[in-house]
Amino acid sequence: MNYRLIVKDRATQDLRQLANYILVNGNADVAVKFLNAAEVTFEQLAKTPGMGKLIQLVVSRLGEIRQWRIKDFNDYLIFYRIQDTTVEILRVFHGARDLADVLSELDEEF
């Protein structure tokens, strides 16, 4: 069963910012590959949403938040939640970020 996929606006903004950073500091081909890999990974999560690691750092009012790495770009993390038959992509961050800060940002935004 495929879950319905929702990519929140903030996650789309994150992807654009990260791709722009890669473009400026790397090259256009890598930035395009990054965006394509994110899309493939989102589709993979829609097929198998439970594969992501459940985040236990803080209790979120959003419920259970999971994380998964972007395929072939392991330094970039997708934060998402599963609700009924929907997978919501909440944010996408570089893995060097402090996860406690990331999760507190999620709670503030939603």
Coordinates of all heavy atoms in Angstrom, one line a residue, residues 68-101:
W68 N 15.0 9.9 8.3 CA 15.6 9.0 7.3 C 16.5 9.8 6.5 O 16.3 11.0 6.3 CB 14.5 8.4 6.4 CG 15.0 7.3 5.6 CD1 15.1 7.3 4.2 CD2 15.4 6.0 6.0 NE1 15.6 6.1 3.8 CE2 15.7 5.2 4.9 CE3 15.4 5.3 7.2 CZ2 16.2 3.9 4.9 CZ3 15.9 4.0 7.3 CH2 16.2 3.3 6.1
R69 N 17.6 9.2 6.0 CA 18.6 9.9 5.2 C 18.2 9.9 3.7 O 17.6 9.0 3.2 CB 19.9 9.2 5.4 CG 20.4 9.3 6.8 CD 21.8 8.7 6.9 NE 22.2 8.6 8.3 CZ 22.7 9.7 9.0 NH1 22.7 10.9 8.4 NH2 23.0 9.6 10.3
I70 N 18.6 11.0 3.0 CA 18.3 11.1 1.6 C 19.3 10.1 0.9 O 20.5 10.1 1.2 CB 18.5 12.5 1.1 CG1 17.5 13.4 1.7 CG2 18.5 12.5 -0.4 CD1 17.5 14.8 1.3
K71 N 18.7 9.3 0.0 CA 19.5 8.3 -0.7 C 20.7 8.9 -1.4 O 20.6 9.9 -2.1 CB 18.6 7.6 -1.8 CG 19.3 6.5 -2.6 CD 18.3 6.0 -3.6 CE 18.7 4.9 -4.4 NZ 20.1 4.6 -4.5
D72 N 21.9 8.4 -1.2 CA 23.2 8.8 -1.7 C 23.6 10.2 -1.2 O 24.7 10.6 -1.6 CB 23.1 8.9 -3.3 CG 22.8 7.5 -3.9 OD1 23.3 6.5 -3.3 OD2 22.2 7.5 -4.9
F73 N 22.9 10.8 -0.3 CA 23.3 12.0 0.4 C 23.1 11.8 1.9 O 22.2 12.5 2.5 CB 22.5 13.2 -0.2 CG 22.9 13.6 -1.6 CD1 22.3 12.9 -2.6 CD2 23.8 14.6 -1.8 CE1 22.6 13.3 -4.0 CE2 24.1 14.9 -3.1 CZ 23.5 14.3 -4.2
N74 N 23.9 10.9 2.5 CA 23.6 10.5 3.8 C 23.8 11.6 4.9 O 23.4 11.4 6.0 CB 24.6 9.3 4.2 CG 24.2 8.1 3.4 OD1 23.0 7.9 3.0 ND2 25.1 7.2 3.1
D75 N 24.4 12.7 4.6 CA 24.5 13.8 5.5 C 23.2 14.6 5.7 O 23.1 15.5 6.5 CB 25.6 14.8 5.1 CG 27.0 14.1 5.3 OD1 27.1 13.1 6.1 OD2 27.9 14.6 4.7
Y76 N 22.2 14.3 4.8 CA 21.0 15.1 4.8 C 19.8 14.2 5.4 O 19.6 13.1 4.9 CB 20.7 15.6 3.4 CG 21.7 16.6 3.0 CD1 22.8 16.1 2.3 CD2 21.6 17.9 3.3 CE1 23.8 17.0 1.9 CE2 22.6 18.8 2.9 CZ 23.7 18.3 2.2 OH 24.7 19.2 1.8
L77 N 19.1 14.8 6.4 CA 18.1 14.0 7.0 C 16.7 14.6 6.7 O 16.5 15.8 6.7 CB 18.3 14.1 8.6 CG 19.6 13.6 9.1 CD1 19.7 13.9 10.6 CD2 19.8 12.1 8.8
I78 N 15.8 13.7 6.5 CA 14.3 14.0 6.3 C 13.6 13.7 7.6 O 13.8 12.7 8.2 CB 13.7 13.1 5.2 CG1 14.4 13.3 3.9 CG2 12.2 13.4 5.1 CD1 14.1 12.2 2.9
F79 N 12.9 14.7 8.1 CA 12.0 14.5 9.3 C 10.6 14.4 8.8 O 10.1 15.3 8.1 CB 12.3 15.6 10.3 CG 13.6 15.6 10.9 CD1 14.7 16.2 10.3 CD2 13.9 14.9 12.1 CE1 16.0 16.1 10.8 CE2 15.2 14.8 12.6 CZ 16.2 15.4 12.0
Y80 N 9.9 13.4 9.3 CA 8.5 13.2 8.8 C 7.7 12.5 9.9 O 8.2 12.0 10.9 CB 8.5 12.3 7.5 CG 9.0 10.9 7.7 CD1 8.0 9.9 7.8 CD2 10.3 10.5 7.8 CE1 8.4 8.6 7.9 CE2 10.7 9.2 7.9 CZ 9.7 8.2 8.0 OH 10.1 6.9 8.2
R81 N 6.4 12.5 9.6 CA 5.5 11.8 10.5 C 4.5 11.0 9.7 O 4.2 11.4 8.5 CB 4.8 12.7 11.5 CG 3.8 13.7 10.9 CD 3.2 14.5 12.0 NE 2.4 15.6 11.4 CZ 1.7 16.4 12.1 NH1 1.6 16.3 13.4 NH2 0.9 17.3 11.5
I82 N 4.0 10.0 10.3 CA 3.0 9.1 9.6 C 1.6 9.4 10.4 O 1.6 9.3 11.6 CB 3.3 7.6 9.8 CG1 4.7 7.4 9.2 CG2 2.3 6.8 9.1 CD1 5.2 6.0 9.6
Q83 N 0.6 9.7 9.6 CA -0.7 9.9 10.1 C -1.7 9.1 9.3 O -1.9 9.4 8.1 CB -1.1 11.4 10.1 CG -0.3 12.2 11.1 CD -0.9 13.6 11.2 OE1 -1.0 14.3 10.3 NE2 -1.3 13.9 12.5
D84 N -2.3 8.1 9.9 CA -3.2 7.2 9.1 C -2.6 6.7 7.9 O -1.7 5.9 7.9 CB -4.5 8.0 8.9 CG -5.2 8.4 10.1 OD1 -5.2 7.7 11.1 OD2 -5.8 9.6 10.2
T85 N -3.0 7.2 6.7 CA -2.5 6.7 5.4 C -1.7 7.8 4.7 O -1.5 7.8 3.5 CB -3.6 6.2 4.5 OG1 -4.5 7.3 4.3 CG2 -4.3 5.0 5.1
T86 N -1.1 8.7 5.5 CA -0.4 9.8 5.0 C 1.0 9.9 5.6 O 1.2 9.7 6.8 CB -1.1 11.2 5.3 OG1 -2.5 11.1 4.7 CG2 -0.4 12.4 4.7
V87 N 2.0 10.2 4.7 CA 3.3 10.5 5.2 C 3.5 12.0 5.0 O 3.4 12.5 3.8 CB 4.4 9.7 4.4 CG1 5.8 10.2 4.8 CG2 4.3 8.3 4.7
E88 N 3.8 12.8 6.0 CA 4.1 14.2 6.0 C 5.6 14.5 6.1 O 6.1 14.2 7.2 CB 3.3 14.9 7.1 CG 1.9 15.2 6.8 CD 1.3 16.1 7.9 OE1 1.6 15.9 9.1 OE2 0.6 17.1 7.5
I89 N 6.2 15.0 5.1 CA 7.6 15.4 5.2 C 7.6 16.8 5.8 O 7.0 17.8 5.2 CB 8.2 15.5 3.7 CG1 8.0 14.2 3.0 CG2 9.7 15.9 3.9 CD1 8.7 13.0 3.6
L90 N 8.1 16.9 7.0 CA 8.1 18.1 7.8 C 9.2 19.1 7.5 O 9.1 20.3 7.2 CB 8.0 17.8 9.3 CG 6.9 16.9 9.7 CD1 7.1 16.5 11.2 CD2 5.6 17.6 9.5
R91 N 10.5 18.5 7.5 CA 11.7 19.3 7.3 C 12.8 18.5 6.7 O 12.7 17.2 6.8 CB 12.2 20.0 8.6 CG 11.2 20.9 9.3 CD 11.0 22.2 8.5 NE 12.2 23.0 8.2 CZ 12.7 24.0 9.0 NH1 12.1 24.3 10.1 NH2 13.8 24.6 8.6
V92 N 13.8 19.1 6.1 CA 15.0 18.4 5.6 C 16.1 19.3 6.1 O 16.2 20.5 5.9 CB 15.0 18.3 4.1 CG1 16.2 17.6 3.6 CG2 13.7 17.6 3.6
F93 N 17.1 18.6 6.8 CA 18.2 19.3 7.4 C 19.5 18.6 7.2 O 19.5 17.4 6.9 CB 18.1 19.4 9.0 CG 17.0 20.3 9.5 CD1 15.9 19.8 10.1 CD2 17.0 21.7 9.3 CE1 14.9 20.6 10.6 CE2 16.0 22.5 9.7 CZ 14.9 22.0 10.4
H94 N 20.6 19.3 7.2 CA 21.9 18.7 7.2 C 22.1 18.0 8.6 O 21.7 18.5 9.6 CB 23.0 19.7 7.0 CG 24.3 19.1 6.7 ND1 25.2 18.6 7.7 CD2 25.0 18.8 5.5 CE1 26.2 18.1 7.2 NE2 26.2 18.2 5.9
G95 N 22.7 16.8 8.6 CA 22.9 16.0 9.8 C 23.8 16.6 10.8 O 23.8 16.1 12.0
A96 N 24.5 17.7 10.5 CA 25.4 18.3 11.4 C 24.6 19.2 12.4 O 25.2 19.6 13.4 CB 26.5 19.1 10.7
R97 N 23.4 19.5 12.1 CA 22.6 20.3 13.0 C 22.3 19.6 14.3 O 22.2 18.4 14.4 CB 21.2 20.6 12.3 CG 21.3 21.4 11.0 CD 21.0 22.9 11.2 NE 20.1 23.4 12.1 CZ 18.9 23.9 11.9 NH1 18.5 23.9 10.6 NH2 18.2 24.4 12.8
D98 N 22.1 20.3 15.3 CA 21.7 19.8 16.6 C 20.3 19.3 16.6 O 19.4 20.1 16.4 CB 21.9 20.9 17.7 CG 21.6 20.4 19.1 OD1 21.1 19.3 19.3 OD2 21.8 21.2 20.0
L99 N 20.1 18.0 16.7 CA 18.8 17.4 16.6 C 17.8 17.9 17.6 O 16.6 18.1 17.3 CB 18.8 15.9 16.6 CG 19.5 15.2 15.4 CD1 19.5 13.7 15.6 CD2 19.0 15.7 14.1
A100 N 18.2 18.2 18.8 CA 17.3 18.8 19.8 C 16.7 20.1 19.3 O 15.6 20.4 19.5 CB 18.0 18.9 21.1
D101 N 17.6 21.0 18.7 CA 17.2 22.2 18.2 C 16.2 22.0 17.0 O 15.2 22.7 16.9 CB 18.4 23.1 17.7 CG 19.1 23.7 18.9 OD1 18.6 23.7 20.0 OD2 20.2 24.2 18.6

